[in-house]
Amino acid sequence: MPTVFPQGMVDTAKKNFGGGNTAWEEKTLSKYEFSEVRLLEIMESLCGSSDFECNRLLEEQEEHLEAWWLRLKKEHPDLFEWFCVKTLKVCCYPGTYGPDCLACQGGSERPCSGNGHCKGDGSRQGDGSCQCHIGYQGALCYDCMDGYFSSLRNETHSICTACDESCKMCTGPTNKDCNQCEVGWVREDGTCVDVDECAAEMPPCSDQQYCENVNGSFLCEECDSTCVGCTGKGPGQCKECIPGYTKENGQCTDVDECSLSEKACVRKNENCYNTPGSYVCVCPEGFEETEDACVQTQTAGDEVTEESPAELPSREDL
């Protein structure tokens, strides 16, 4: 609240000054500047309508704010200091913490060496210890974690920079500066290089997967649904094809059983429909199914000859 109040003062600073009669406006403005009307307008803008906690605190401390506005503002121009730190005693100055507003670890000017957050900073809570940013460690966040190296270090500042991804620990930014290689890398000629797990004598993936090498590791990806074993992604990388598919131009494609010279559907008047990897045999409309034929059920005059079979049903009717 005491951090929002100054913005309200800025927003209302020249509300009644619109140009025209300068002498009248300056007189009016000077009255408005220290008026209870302006205070009320500022206070109405401090909290959102749904911020219950803010509105509760404003109601409880309204008298304190009025006293500061009307009598104490000149003597104590810093509202945050007077209201939050010294009067309510719920805040501390930045860089301090706890009931007595003690300095954070590393000092109130640059807590945690500027590389972390002080627990309780600016409040009457916390223990002043440091929560270090990523890459830093130690009580004052001055040291580098594994995977980072010190790119700047003097009496007042410490900057830690990430090692190359191949390094577990390092002294510089490249894969030649590793003290120790990360898991999935191996040292060759003084440099940490990626291990190709996919080239191992015993492949790490299952029979229906292919191995894809990535930096420091590998991925097992599923073969195409038309494959029986594969060497890579897609129907063009199959070792063999599943039943109902055959290798054509290097990839597994569906066999159209209905177009083969040897009829797939052998019952009289029966229609053949190709499906992915298979086919179905269906009697035409107006025919009923028996063990060895499709028998016409239509009345005379609506006969469908063997040479002119009934119109094939759509796929949706199958």
Side-chain angles (χ1 to χ4, degrees):
M1 186 188 301
T3 59
V4 179
F5 197 101
Q7 183 59 47
M9 294 176 66
V10 172
D11 294 342
T12 59
K14 291 189 176 183
K15 183 172 181 180
N16 287 350
F17 195 85
N21 189 328
T22 305
W24 178 85
E25 286 177 338
E26 287 180 351
K27 181 180 178 181
T28 304
L29 186 61
S30 65
K31 289 181 180 179
Y32 173 75
E33 183 179 2
F34 301 102
S35 69
E36 289 189 52
V37 173
R38 186 183 179 200
L39 172 63
L40 181 61
E41 290 176 353
I42 294 172
M43 291 176 66
E44 285 178 345
S45 66
L46 289 179
C47 303
S49 59
S50 60
D51 192 340
F52 173 79
E53 188 62 30
C54 177
N55 282 288
R56 183 188 63 79
L57 181 61
L58 178 61
E59 185 177 342
E60 290 177 355
Q61 305 303 330
E62 187 173 351
E63 290 185 9
H64 277 119
L65 290 172
E66 287 179 354
W68 176 81
W69 178 263
L70 298 174
R71 300 190 303 275
L72 303 172
K73 185 165 59 171
K74 288 187 178 180
E75 184 181 351
H76 302 283
D78 189 333
L79 176 60
F80 173 80
E81 178 184 63
W82 176 83
F83 182 68
C84 196
V85 178
K86 293 185 175 180
T87 303
L88 299 186
K89 295 184 178 179
V90 294
C91 306
C92 291
Y93 296 110
T96 64
Y97 74 96
D100 300 317
C101 292
L102 302 176
C104 291
Q105 292 290 326
S108 59
E109 293 298 317
R110 289 186 75 246
C112 308
S113 308
N115 300 324
H117 175 71
C118 165
K119 288 184 181 178
D121 191 350
S123 75
R124 298 280 173 155
Q125 302 174 358
D127 60 8
S129 62
C130 292
Q131 293 177 304
C132 299
H133 298 326
I134 185 71
Y136 297 88
Q137 63 181 359
L140 299 180
C141 303
Y142 200 70
D143 302 318
C144 298
M145 296 173 57
D146 285 354
Y148 291 78
F149 69 97
S150 180
S151 55
L152 173 64
R153 191 181 183 93
N154 56 33
E155 293 181 358
T156 59
H157 289 73
S158 174
I159 297 178
C160 297
T161 303
C163 298
D164 184 82
E165 63 177 340
S166 65
C167 304
K168 186 175 181 63
M169 294 184 291
C170 69
T171 57
T174 74
N175 62 349
K176 295 182 179 179
D177 300 313
C178 303
N179 293 337
Q180 182 179 346
C181 295
E182 187 58 87
V183 175
W185 276 266
V186 66
R187 190 177 295 278
E188 290 183 6
D189 299 326
T191 301
C192 288
V193 295
D194 174 50
V195 174
D196 186 357
E197 294 85 355
C198 299
E201 186 175 343
M202 292 293 292
C205 301
S206 72
D207 291 342
Q208 277 302 102
Q209 295 176 321
Y210 65 93
C211 181
E212 186 174 313
N213 189 56
V214 295
N215 282 343
S217 187
F218 64 95
L219 300 172
C220 289
E221 303 286 0
E222 296 299 320
C223 293
D224 189 84
S225 61
T226 64
C227 298
V228 177
C230 65
T231 57
K233 182 179 180 180
Q237 301 296 321
C238 299
K239 293 179 180 177
E240 295 180 23
C241 302
I242 62 172
Y245 287 79
T246 186
K247 278 281 181 84
E248 189 174 294
N249 297 323
Q251 70 176 26
C252 289
T253 56
D254 175 48
V255 175
D256 185 356
E257 292 86 355
C258 298
S259 299
L260 298 177
S261 56
E262 184 177 343
K263 295 181 74 173
C265 299
V266 296
R267 292 183 300 183
K268 185 179 180 181
N269 296 325
E270 190 172 38
N271 292 327
C272 180
Y273 295 91
N274 187 57
T275 61
S278 187
Y279 63 96
V280 292
C281 299
V282 180
C283 288
E285 185 177 351
F287 287 74
E288 64 179 16
E289 186 175 325
T290 66
E291 184 176 342
D292 57 1
C294 292
V295 179
Q296 184 178 1
T297 59
Q298 293 178 330
T299 59
D302 293 329
E303 293 184 3
V304 179
T305 64
E306 186 173 342
E307 290 74 18
S308 303
E311 183 179 348
L312 301 182
S314 64
R315 288 185 180 273
E316 288 76 8
D317 295 331
L318 294 180

